[in-house]
Amino acid sequence: MGITYRDGVFRLGTDNSSYIFRIRKQGQLEQLHYGFPVPEEDDCEVLAVKQDIQYGSSVMYDVGDSSYCLDSICCEWSGHGRGDYRQTPIEVRMCDGSLSSDFVYMSHRISEGCMPMEKLPTAYDEDGSCRSLEITMKDRCHEVYLKLYYTVFPRADVISRRAVIINEGEEISLRRFMSMSLDIPDKGFRLHTLDGGWIKETHHHVRPVEYGITVNSSVTGNSSNRHNAGFFLSAHNANEDFGECYGFNLIYSGNHFGLVEKSNHDLVRIQTGINPLSFEWNLKKGECFESPEAVMTYSDKGLNGMSGNFHRFVNHNIVRGEWKLRERPVLINNWESCFFKFDEDKLLSLARNAKNAGAELFVMDDGWFGNRSSDTAGLGDYSVNSKKLPHGLEGLADKIEGMGMRFGLWFEPEGVNPDSELYRAHPDWAVKPPAGEPCLGRNQLLLDLTREEVREYIVRSVGDILDSVSISYVKWDMNRHISDAYSPVLDNQGEFYHRYILGLYEVLGRIFRARPHILLESCSSGGNRFDLGMLCYSPQIWASDNTDPVERLKIQNGLSYLYPQSTMGAHVSAAPHQQTLRDTPLSTRFNVSAFGVLGYELELKYLTREEFREVREQIEFYKKYRKTLQFGTFFRFDERKDNKLHWQVSAPDGSEHVAGHFQTLCCASEGYDELPVKNLERNAKYALKGKKQRILLKRVGGLVKHVLPVELDPNGLIMHTGSKFFSIPDGTESYVNYGATLMAGVKLNNQFMGTGYNERLHMLGDCGSVLYTIERLKEKKSGSRSKK
């Protein structure tokens, strides 16, 4: 564990991985091993890719060594123009116009803790166990220096990497600069990416790593809902629980670029960093540029092992402040129930109902300021709309707190409508092209965060509201991509995208580091900016504007590969859903949202008595198991059926577990269902119990005549009224067994088969689901006996 250097070899070790590279006699750094731990005292020559003779068409680096070619070794970093024809991590135009670079080792320094950056967020050392390595390299022909930084997070099994370029000569121009570059031998890799768009974020896609280059990138100005910055590789035989997996992510919220390249000799190069498209950074003598921090992890315990590493890392080394590892409140958000059409009375009515259901936080979304009756006006202004809120924000907040709930507020500080007081006063503050008309997104422009006066306006405007009103939660939204990237205050427009993100980080830091009691949830039209950079400021992120639970299964399942459930905002909304028109059971809407930070986003007064009871019981259940649901160890499963998905979370001490059994589409007369279970003590006894939930009468419609002694009109008054006050209990089961028995697979009660109904049947249908609790019993006895 830690970092050692001996005889030209660097060894970085976490609890369950080794990372080894060495200095070649020519001065380059050669990667030797990244994978399971190997003995520190052992000779590492056996790990090196051999160069006993030159390959055909090779360009030899060293005239004194006829076999040394940079194109056929595993490089730890590579320059440009010296015989390595794979993608370079750096492109720099030197002061003499040359585009070639050749960085060689000069010195190194090993230190305790992390090495923070000045303007970019980084991971931090939680408990003093981290060690860092700084390697200084120099271009052979120019006064340009490169520093490579590594930090080992041993308990999370994560290693971070970043780079800094320093110019000590005449002006140079940096055109491409990755945070890391890593070469490893191919293991029949499959590349996993999280892709999509608005209301369909982070869908998990898998493709084989074949000869050539695959790019995972964003050019929207944000980390984007199209391609998440994180990606990962799995060996050909890996699955959720077995096999070698490598994960990579970037602590950055702007345009990113990830690359996987398989060479013609089966070496795989992985890079991640700032997207080089529209990027150019000039460095005068004495100036430097630092890349965002990249993070990587290795696990030989499959994709769940890799995810577990990243989850621990995010919870312990990324999320910070008062809300780190702190249970998040159950909230009610008024957006889907009101949109822009609300007043104080309507909000207070919603709040009273939410309080009665058990909610702890009331969030007022868009529409409270300026002339904001639609998304066409008012954005950028901060004066409270007195027609909607005659007693102001303070009056509303006081009344909410008087009910026993906390108050939260929505902001979108980065945007501005042309129809706003701010734009009329400062049209030059908006991001616009120097000639021609700008492009609008959601009827708005963006404010130019590269300008100091714009940043000051946002910090002052938001800060004044937070200091004058009792606010404990902020939802920070950003509802469009960047276009027309231009700022008149910049001499070099190639700096715009990166300087915008630096400005955002400055604003967030100044506002919320000074007010650590406020829980910040970031949002960007849903998951358009779900990344490690934002998580350094906001402990949770709104995962998607899509609240349909069937779609959320895909979205949250994708996110789970890289991010813990404590970071995912997940809400129960009305059905049919506004994004899909799909009608889903209230139970499933909760069961999916429970594997995240729970909220509700619907008009509670329109619920029937049975539905309201269901919501109240859902919130009670969530509060009971909240710590495990938000911060427990998360597991996915290799599914036996295409129409099923299973999740499980386990408390750190193993005392309790919550498992989810989800069905997308039902099949006629389907075969047996099984609840897979893992992570139990084999010789401990557990009580497994299905969560009770209701089947509302309207869901079974005319089929109710098969369980009643009389026939009723499914659309008649009696059925309509009865649906408000009565429901059918869904079937459930409970068992007491040893952990080994449960992990062999719990065979569940039958689903509805079309042949009748009894109280044991699961009435899942399309989009049905069940949650199960598995609690360890204190008493251990011999034998195994189960009961229903």
Side-chain angles (χ1 to χ4, degrees):
M1 268 197 334
I3 301 174
T4 62
Y5 173 77
R6 186 172 67 247
D7 299 329
V9 178
F10 296 94
R11 297 175 183 263
L12 287 67
T14 71
D15 287 356
N16 297 288
S17 70
S18 289
Y19 188 97
I20 305 172
F21 60 96
R22 67 182 178 183
I23 307 168
R24 294 292 300 243
K25 66 179 182 180
Q26 293 85 354
Q28 287 82 26
L29 302 180
E30 180 185 15
Q31 165 65 216
L32 298 176
H33 171 74
Y34 185 30
F36 56 80
V38 296
E40 185 174 324
E41 65 275 8
D42 215 356
D43 182 13
C44 64
E45 179 61 31
V46 67
L47 301 172
V49 173
K50 302 304 183 287
Q51 284 187 319
D52 299 317
I53 193 169
Q54 65 177 266
Y55 299 160
S57 298
S58 295
V59 173
M60 297 299 106
Y61 176 84
D62 188 345
V63 294
D65 187 341
S66 63
S67 64
Y68 185 60
C69 171
L70 296 177
D71 200 42
S72 56
I73 67 171
C74 289
C75 297
E76 186 68 10
W77 184 270
S78 181
H80 180 58
R82 300 290 293 170
D84 185 353
Y85 293 100
R86 296 165 291 181
Q87 287 290 302
T88 177
I90 184 170
E91 182 184 356
V92 57
R93 180 176 55 79
M94 298 297 186
C95 59
D96 56 8
S98 169
L99 295 175
S100 294
S101 60
D102 182 17
F103 292 94
V104 294
Y105 171 84
M106 290 189 64
S107 63
H108 73 273
R109 176 169 64 97
I110 298 172
S111 61
E112 296 183 355
C114 299
M115 295 182 177
M117 289 188 277
E118 182 181 350
K119 295 181 179 180
L120 285 166
T122 61
Y124 64 95
D125 186 0
E126 179 190 49
D127 55 10
S129 63
C130 295
R131 298 294 181 270
S132 293
L133 168 66
E134 176 191 84
I135 294 178
T136 300
M137 307 179 78
K138 182 185 179 297
D139 183 77
R140 282 191 184 275
C141 301
H142 304 90
E143 291 300 308
V144 179
Y145 294 79
L146 177 72
K147 289 183 181 289
L148 302 181
Y149 291 93
Y150 303 74
T151 298
V152 174
F153 299 84
R155 294 186 175 90
D157 286 311
V158 165
I159 296 172
S160 74
R161 290 188 57 182
R162 60 185 179 89
V164 176
I165 186 169
I166 305 166
N167 181 30
E168 294 296 348
E170 298 302 311
E171 183 172 331
I172 62 175
S173 178
L174 186 65
R175 298 177 176 181
R176 179 190 182 98
F177 195 49
M178 295 293 104
S179 298
M180 58 155 281
S181 184
L182 170 67
D183 295 346
I184 54 179
D186 185 33
K187 299 182 179 182
F189 284 129
R190 293 171 294 176
L191 171 63
H192 303 247
T193 57
L194 306 179
D195 316 293
W198 179 68
I199 68 172
K200 57 177 183 179
E201 298 90 338
T202 58
H203 287 207
H204 178 210
H205 295 107
V206 187
R207 57 187 68 81
V209 174
E210 299 176 330
Y211 294 112
I213 299 171
T214 303
V215 170
N216 179 71
S217 71
S218 168
V219 295
T220 67
N222 295 310
S223 53
S224 102
N225 49 26
R226 302 184 177 199
H227 306 286
N228 193 270
F231 58 94
F232 43 106
L233 299 174
S234 62
H236 68 95
N237 60 346
N239 59 25
E240 289 290 358
D241 294 307
F242 303 99
E244 293 186 289
C245 297
Y246 297 82
F248 305 90
N249 211 338
L250 191 65
I251 306 177
Y252 192 59
S253 306
N255 288 342
H256 62 80
F257 182 89
L259 172 148
V260 176
E261 177 181 8
K262 183 176 178 179
S263 77
N264 62 337
H265 288 102
D266 299 328
L267 302 180
V268 174
R269 174 162 290 181
I270 304 108
Q271 294 178 352
T272 186
I274 294 175
N275 198 314
L277 182 67
S278 301
F279 172 83
E280 184 180 29
W281 204 277
N282 298 326
L283 295 174
K284 295 183 174 62
K285 184 175 183 179
E287 293 181 341
C288 67
F289 181 86
E290 54 186 11
S291 76
E293 187 170 38
V295 296
M296 54 189 182
T297 189
Y298 164 85
S299 175
D300 60 2
K301 296 179 174 59
L303 294 169
N304 276 321
M306 179 206 72
S307 297
N309 293 347
F310 271 147
H311 290 194
R312 285 190 296 275
F313 176 73
V314 172
N315 279 328
H316 291 273
N317 302 104
I318 290 292
V319 175
R320 58 203 76 195
E322 292 187 10
W323 286 95
K324 173 183 177 178
L325 299 177
R326 180 176 166 187
E327 293 179 29
R328 314 286 161 69
V330 177
L331 65 83
I332 178 76
N333 183 297
N334 77 304
W335 176 247
E336 285 200 19
S337 60
C338 301
F339 291 113
F340 295 102
K341 299 176 182 179
F342 63 83
D343 56 26
E344 184 179 278
D345 290 340
K346 187 172 185 178
L347 296 178
L348 292 175
S349 173
L350 178 60
R352 280 189 289 268
N353 286 327
K355 174 61 179 177
N356 290 336
E360 300 159 314
L361 169 67
F362 181 89
V363 179
M364 181 169 59
D365 212 280
D366 194 0
W368 56 266
F369 51 87
N371 186 26
R372 190 71 168 170
S373 297
S374 70
D375 62 14
T376 63
L379 194 62
D381 300 334
Y382 290 88
S383 58
V384 177
N385 188 313
S386 58
K387 292 182 179 179
K388 296 181 179 182
L389 303 172
H391 301 102
L393 290 175
E394 187 174 1
L396 177 64
D398 289 344
K399 291 172 183 176
I400 297 294
E401 290 197 333
M403 297 178 191
M405 287 196 298
R406 285 174 281 184
F407 179 66
L409 192 59
W410 177 97
F411 292 88
E412 190 176 354
E414 298 167 67
V416 60
N417 288 124
D419 184 5
S420 67
E421 295 301 320
L422 176 65
Y423 187 82
R424 282 185 281 273
H426 299 284
D428 55 316
W429 285 9
V431 176
K432 295 183 293 186
E437 293 299 317
C439 299
L440 296 182
R442 202 184 180 231
N443 299 302
Q444 67 191 61
L445 299 169
L446 290 174
L447 291 173
D448 182 358
L449 297 191
T450 72
R451 302 178 71 124
E452 182 179 1
E453 63 269 34
V454 170
R455 300 195 299 273
E456 288 294 331
Y457 172 77
I458 295 174
V459 170
R460 183 179 68 254
S461 299
V462 176
D464 286 348
I465 291 176
L466 297 181
D467 292 338
S468 63
V469 182
S470 182
I471 294 173
S472 62
Y473 164 102
V474 165
K475 182 179 178 182
W476 183 290
D477 210 343
M478 194 273 203
N479 277 307
R480 61 157 294 175
H481 301 314
I482 295 177
S483 64
D484 303 307
Y486 176 85
S487 175
V489 302
L490 298 179
D491 294 329
N492 175 12
Q493 299 304 316
E495 299 178 3
F496 178 87
Y497 282 109
H498 185 57
R499 287 200 181 277
Y500 182 96
I501 295 300
L502 292 179
L504 172 64
Y505 289 151
E506 178 193 321
V507 166
L508 291 172
R510 290 174 62 188
I511 292 174
F512 294 103
R513 297 279 164 79
R515 302 167 179 89
H517 64 285
I518 293 177
L519 172 61
L520 174 62
E521 179 168 358
S522 63
C523 171
S524 182
S525 293
N528 191 42
R529 209 157 56 185
F530 203 118
D531 59 69
L532 295 179
M534 294 306 294
L535 286 171
C536 289
Y537 300 92
S538 61
Q540 61 196 56
I541 298 175
W542 181 232
S544 176
D545 285 346
N546 196 334
T547 50
D548 178 337
V550 176
E551 296 302 312
R552 273 300 185 119
L553 283 173
K554 304 170 193 175
I555 293 166
Q556 291 174 218
N557 195 71
L559 284 172
S560 74
Y561 284 99
L562 301 175
Y563 307 96
Q565 59 276 18
S566 61
T567 64
M568 304 176 199
H571 293 180
V572 176
S573 65
H577 295 283
Q578 295 178 11
Q579 302 83 15
T580 62
L581 295 180
R582 185 184 283 121
D583 196 357
T584 62
L586 179 57
S587 55
T588 294
R589 287 176 254 163
F590 166 76
N591 293 344
V592 175
S593 297
F595 288 90
V597 181
L598 178 66
Y600 286 79
E601 198 156 335
L602 71 170
E603 182 51 89
L604 296 171
K605 71 181 181 181
Y606 294 136
L607 298 181
T608 66
R609 189 183 73 170
E610 284 297 280
E611 289 172 329
F612 194 84
R613 286 175 60 191
E614 178 88 0
V615 168
R616 181 181 290 157
E617 291 170 4
Q618 290 171 354
I619 294 176
E620 289 175 358
F621 178 92
Y622 186 80
K623 289 178 178 178
K624 181 177 180 181
Y625 297 100
R626 172 162 39 192
K627 187 172 184 179
T628 295
L629 287 166
Q630 291 183 356
F631 297 103
T633 303
F634 185 92
F635 297 99
R636 295 170 304 273
F637 294 81
D638 294 300
E639 299 297 344
R640 185 174 61 88
K641 295 183 178 182
D642 292 338
N643 68 334
K644 298 293 188 300
L645 184 71
H646 296 91
W647 292 336
Q648 179 183 320
V649 288
S650 302
D653 63 359
S655 61
E656 67 180 25
H657 314 258
V658 180
H661 174 78
F662 301 99
Q663 176 167 283
T664 51
L665 294 177
C666 68
C667 299
S669 191
E670 186 171 349
Y672 75 93
D673 279 336
E674 180 176 276
L675 179 72
V677 179
K678 60 182 66 170
N679 199 41
L680 306 183
E681 295 179 40
R682 299 180 63 85
N683 297 319
K685 272 212 169 179
Y686 294 84
L688 181 147
K689 186 177 182 181
K691 177 186 176 296
K692 292 182 179 180
Q693 55 192 33
R694 294 173 172 80
I695 305 298
L696 302 177
L697 293 184
K698 63 182 180 181
R699 183 163 172 79
V700 297
L703 296 177
V704 74
K705 65 185 179 183
H706 297 296
V707 297
L708 293 178
V710 295
E711 182 174 342
L712 296 175
D713 179 358
N715 298 311
L717 179 61
I718 295 177
M719 276 289 292
H720 179 73
T721 304
S723 295
K724 297 180 179 180
F725 300 97
F726 301 100
S727 59
I728 301 171
D730 193 14
T732 188
E733 53 265 283
S734 62
Y735 296 92
V736 175
N737 283 93
Y738 285 111
T741 306
L742 295 176
M743 288 191 292
V746 180
K747 306 304 184 291
L748 301 177
N749 293 355
N750 291 126
Q751 291 195 48
F752 177 75
M753 294 286 187
T755 57
Y757 166 81
N758 62 57
E759 67 279 0
R760 297 185 302 279
L761 289 181
H762 286 295
M763 304 286 286
L764 297 183
D766 290 347
C767 317
S769 63
V770 186
L771 295 186
Y772 293 87
T773 59
I774 308 168
E775 300 191 53
R776 186 175 59 208
L777 303 179
K778 295 181 180 179
E779 190 176 354
K780 296 183 180 181
K781 297 181 180 179
S782 60
S784 177
R785 184 166 58 93
S786 65
K787 65 180 181 181
K788 287 188 180 179

